[in-house]
Amino acid sequence: MHFLFGMFVGMKGLRMIMWTILLVLAILHRASSHGIQPLSRIAIHKATLALDNLAYVKASPTVLGLNGQNTEWVTVEYSSPNPSMDDWIGVFSPANFSASTCPAENPRVYPPLLCSAPIKFRYANYTSPDYKVNRKGSLKLQLINQRSDFSFALFSNGFLNPKLVAVSNTVSFANPNAPVYPRLAQGKQWDEMTVTWTSGYGIDEAEPFVQWGPKGGHQQHSPAVTLTFERSSVCGAPARTVRWRDPGYIHTIFLKELWPNRVYTYKLGHRLFNITYVWSKEYQFRASPFPGQNSLQRVVIFGDMGKDEADGSNEYNNFQRGSLNTTKQLIKDLKNIDIVFHIGDICYANGYISQWDQFTAQIEPIASAVPYMLASGNHERNWPGTGSFYENNDSGGECGVLAETMFFVPAENRAKYWYSTDYGMFRFCIADSEHDWREGTEQYKFIEHCLASVDRQKQPWLVFLAHRVLGYSSDLSYAVEGSFGEPMAKENLQKLWQKYKVDIAIYGHAHNYERTCPIYENQCTDNEKRYYKGTLKGTIHVVAGGAGASLSPFTTLKTKWSLFRDYDYGFVKLTAFDHSNLLFEYKKSSDVKVYDSFRISRDYRDILACTVDSCPPTTLAS
């Protein structure tokens, strides 16, 4: 008996040990799936001067953007009398990174040599494998217009105790203040489009406006509003310390009373007080269809894309290697895209403020042509003591300030990043998973109102979007928690999805792709997998978090509700052909081929039909 009891305890203990190991592995994966971040390991406070008269760094050309370009390549040549394999070239902006520019509140015992981390770097032998022998090397680096000059520095002794060996001449754009990187977004009304852009001009220097009008028609000037923020506006390090960078000025204009589907052209402008003008190039967009309009409408949705350096440089949060490919494929197919939803974890700047410029530059061909709508993610919002539902440091001290300022969303209060938007036959309800969404909260009431207020005869396609998986996911980390989705989410929200017959709920956060059956309370409500006719009787849940950031593994556990999983980079596309036919496609970023799809075909009366918990109970008396 004692032996059997001991054996039972031993087996039970072994199972507990195994689950503990799985939990630790999941936690380690979540911490390490973002990969090595070499830029964050540079010990700025330990940098020392080791300037050598025999060493040099030279950059050319010294003036960029002479023909109005906002992206240029420079050649950096360098030499060291004592080269080593761990020498590296850092790119700094502003060019002066010396101790003389350290802010008084910089919390360090000794003034550091570097007051800011480099915006990116590459090893000195990256394209010069004989650097250690020849003592010379060169790099081709891509720069974007970021409102300040640049310099390039050669460091020896690696990252932990870097020694500054040589600093280059400065390089700058012909007009560093120029208006750049326009991003469109739907306004609070269906016939309104907003244009947001960045410049170096404050309102005491120039008046921001947009010249716009129907393509080939009369062009008018409309004024823009201007926002910015200070170092004290963000919440902590590194955003407030070594990676603070002046964000410039963010301008937004509201183009109203647009004709549905008409093509408009626009140019960003600044009228200086000496009566001269600074212009961007000309862009164009197609106005949104009116709610309920019966026309071809194509929507792209993804999460967790991030950004990457086209020149191969290392940067902070250096784990979004799939982002450039996804961006490139969307640009190639832009003529077949009407609106984009990037549902959280936008650029993974995590306090490295210069990387928001890089991201807006990367997506400019997309965001300047179609509405680029955001949802808030943990890497934009979360910071202790700031009202975020999750009290962690994922935003790197940004606490939502960057996302809320750099991009417009039609929320009543941009600090509460939830909103609804109509696009033709679609109604989108976008939740903010980083604020409390539980029953009884302000956001819960918004979600219910968004779902309840849509006229399904005009807008039959009802889509719920959020960053975290508030529904179903087989991601390893969720499976180990035992929740297969964000804890508490389904318990609080599934009755709303069911009651208001949400067709599809799409999430990011888990860096993979997965599609469920139509589901309610963990049970498939339809056994069909590809072609749904009539009422779904449940909501199809989709994870589309594989747009660029390092991929997340799935659990090996099998669930009845998971129909398709893919461990690869990609995005989803919804195509509404009319009020009765919708096509869903999952495309890989590698070849843009369709790897998963389904169709919904139904009449309006199918949406009216009651399903489980979708209609209120009645009695003979009522």
Side-chain angles (χ1 to χ4, degrees):
M1 185 73 175
H2 287 293
F3 170 74
L4 290 174
F5 178 74
M7 188 173 162
F8 171 76
V9 172
M11 291 177 66
K12 185 177 181 182
L14 183 61
R15 284 197 297 270
M16 291 183 65
I17 290 170
M18 290 301 294
W19 272 107
T20 302
I21 291 172
L22 282 174
L23 180 60
V24 170
L25 287 174
I27 293 170
L28 287 174
H29 164 71
R30 182 163 278 185
S32 64
S33 65
H34 291 166
I36 298 171
Q37 301 174 21
L39 185 57
S40 66
R41 299 206 314 268
I42 296 175
I44 295 172
H45 60 290
K46 292 184 179 180
T48 57
L49 277 173
L51 296 176
D52 193 314
N53 291 332
L54 298 178
Y56 65 80
V57 183
K58 300 176 182 177
S60 62
T62 57
V63 181
L64 311 176
L66 290 172
N67 295 316
Q69 312 98 308
N70 292 317
T71 302
E72 285 260 38
W73 288 81
V74 298
T75 300
V76 181
E77 298 175 321
Y78 43 88
S79 176
S80 172
N82 299 296
S84 66
M85 295 297 288
D86 58 1
D87 287 1
W88 52 278
I89 298 289
V91 182
F92 291 86
S93 180
N96 182 9
F97 54 86
S98 71
S100 63
T101 64
C102 289
E105 71 269 26
N106 199 308
R108 302 193 183 281
V109 177
Y110 300 104
L113 170 69
L114 309 184
C115 285
S116 62
I119 60 174
K120 59 182 181 179
F121 81 93
R122 281 218 318 216
Y123 285 103
N125 62 0
Y126 184 84
T127 55
S128 303
D130 298 326
Y131 166 73
K132 189 173 180 180
V133 176
N134 297 334
R135 303 181 182 181
K136 293 182 179 181
S138 66
L139 291 170
K140 292 280 189 180
L141 296 172
Q142 187 184 64
L143 301 181
I144 62 171
N145 195 346
Q146 291 184 272
R147 304 170 306 282
S148 191
D149 53 4
F150 299 83
S151 64
F152 308 85
L154 173 62
F155 289 86
S156 66
N157 215 38
F159 301 142
L160 299 183
N161 291 284
K163 295 182 179 180
L164 179 61
V165 177
V167 182
S168 76
N169 53 291
T170 61
V171 170
S172 61
F173 278 82
N175 182 7
N177 295 323
V180 291
Y181 319 133
R183 40 259 188 210
L184 302 175
Q186 297 224 112
K188 292 185 178 181
Q189 305 296 324
W190 70 267
D191 60 351
E192 182 177 308
M193 189 74 75
T194 67
V195 187
T196 299
W197 73 96
T198 307
S199 85
Y201 293 114
I203 56 175
D204 58 343
E205 300 171 276
E207 297 170 343
F209 67 94
V210 167
Q211 177 178 289
W212 67 285
K215 187 174 183 179
H218 172 69
Q219 303 290 296
Q220 60 179 301
H221 287 191
S222 296
V225 298
T226 299
L227 296 174
T228 189
F229 55 89
E230 306 295 333
R231 188 190 295 261
S232 58
S233 304
V234 292
C235 297
R240 208 166 183 169
T241 56
V242 297
R243 267 329 305 150
W244 165 257
R245 191 178 190 279
D246 190 330
Y249 298 92
I250 317 302
H251 314 280
T252 298
I253 188 171
F254 302 83
L255 310 180
K256 299 185 178 183
E257 298 182 352
L258 304 178
W259 285 85
N261 309 299
R262 180 171 290 185
V263 175
Y264 289 83
T265 60
Y266 68 97
K267 288 172 66 175
L268 315 175
H270 290 266
R271 181 180 180 271
L272 305 182
F273 292 132
N274 62 4
I275 320 300
T276 59
Y277 289 81
V278 178
W279 295 99
S280 73
K281 69 177 184 178
E282 185 175 272
Y283 302 89
Q284 70 176 39
F285 67 88
R286 184 180 298 275
S288 301
F290 59 83
Q293 179 178 310
N294 194 352
S295 61
L296 184 68
Q297 294 156 17
R298 300 151 304 181
V299 184
V300 164
I301 304 171
F302 55 83
D304 307 74
M305 185 168 76
K307 76 277 165 259
D308 198 14
E309 293 286 350
D311 60 18
S313 293
N314 291 284
E315 60 184 8
Y316 185 63
N317 279 355
N318 198 40
F319 55 82
Q320 304 120 59
R321 292 304 190 189
S323 63
L324 289 181
N325 202 30
T326 299
T327 303
K328 179 182 72 174
Q329 300 292 15
L330 295 179
I331 293 170
K332 281 178 66 176
D333 197 40
L334 199 52
K335 65 181 183 297
N336 296 312
I337 299 171
D338 297 313
I339 186 171
V340 169
F341 287 88
H342 186 158
I343 49 175
D345 285 8
I346 309 304
C347 68
Y348 293 93
N350 287 30
Y352 279 58
I353 292 174
S354 67
Q355 294 189 6
W356 282 90
D357 289 315
Q358 184 195 336
F359 177 76
T360 53
Q362 178 177 307
I363 65 165
E364 180 193 36
I366 306 167
S368 63
V370 300
Y372 198 95
M373 313 301 293
L374 300 188
S376 179
N378 52 303
H379 285 283
E380 284 78 57
R381 181 63 184 86
N382 292 1
W383 194 257
T386 63
S388 54
F389 191 37
Y390 301 85
E391 293 266 315
N392 57 46
N393 301 323
D394 287 356
S395 74
E398 292 180 13
C399 57
V401 172
L402 274 295
E404 294 161 14
T405 308
M406 296 289 289
F407 284 81
F408 177 85
V409 296
E412 290 302 315
N413 179 345
R414 275 200 268 182
K416 300 172 182 177
Y417 224 71
W418 56 77
Y419 62 96
S420 66
T421 192
D422 296 322
Y423 193 89
M425 294 176 284
F426 288 97
R427 159 68 62 87
F428 295 97
C429 297
I430 298 91
D432 180 353
S433 65
E434 309 316 302
H435 281 88
D436 198 345
W437 26 256
R438 291 174 296 180
E439 189 169 359
T441 62
E442 181 183 0
Q443 181 168 197
Y444 183 92
K445 294 173 183 176
F446 154 77
I447 294 171
E448 179 159 27
H449 180 265
C450 181
L451 299 177
S453 60
V454 60
D455 181 346
R456 299 298 288 275
Q457 189 168 9
K458 292 181 178 179
Q459 295 174 286
W461 310 116
L462 182 56
V463 181
F464 177 83
L465 302 175
H467 175 63
R468 291 178 186 263
V469 184
L470 302 183
Y472 296 81
S473 169
S474 299
D475 188 84
L476 176 62
S477 59
Y478 280 133
V480 170
E481 289 176 352
S483 56
F484 289 96
E486 207 63 38
M488 300 183 290
K490 291 188 286 288
E491 294 84 344
N492 282 271
L493 296 172
Q494 63 183 341
K495 288 184 179 179
L496 292 183
W497 299 324
Q498 190 73 0
K499 179 178 180 180
Y500 298 108
K501 298 184 174 69
V502 173
D503 295 306
I504 309 171
I506 305 178
Y507 317 99
H509 198 59
H511 300 173
N512 47 47
Y513 170 78
E514 185 173 18
R515 171 170 67 94
T516 76
C517 59
I519 190 171
Y520 178 56
E521 291 188 338
N522 297 301
Q523 299 297 318
C524 292
T525 58
D526 195 318
N527 293 323
E528 177 56 47
K529 296 182 179 180
R530 297 289 181 189
Y531 185 30
Y532 300 98
K533 290 185 177 181
T535 181
L536 289 177
K537 302 176 184 176
T539 298
I540 297 171
H541 292 260
V542 175
V543 174
S550 57
L551 297 168
S552 304
F554 293 101
T555 177
T556 56
L557 298 174
K558 302 298 181 183
T559 55
K560 293 181 179 179
W561 43 259
S562 182
L563 298 186
F564 192 97
R565 302 177 184 179
D566 190 43
Y567 181 79
D568 205 348
Y569 296 108
F571 54 92
V572 302
K573 185 176 183 180
L574 305 179
T575 302
F577 296 99
D578 51 40
H579 286 77
S580 299
N581 294 280
L582 178 74
L583 173 65
F584 173 100
E585 297 171 299
Y586 162 64
K587 298 185 176 187
K588 291 194 181 188
S589 300
S590 56
D591 56 14
V592 209
K593 291 181 180 178
V594 177
Y595 285 81
D596 183 37
S597 66
F598 66 84
R599 291 174 57 199
I600 301 175
S601 180
R602 69 180 180 218
D603 293 321
Y604 171 58
R605 63 177 178 269
D606 295 322
I607 308 176
L608 289 180
C610 290
T611 59
V612 178
D613 282 359
S614 68
C615 289
T618 59
T619 66
L620 288 174
S622 62

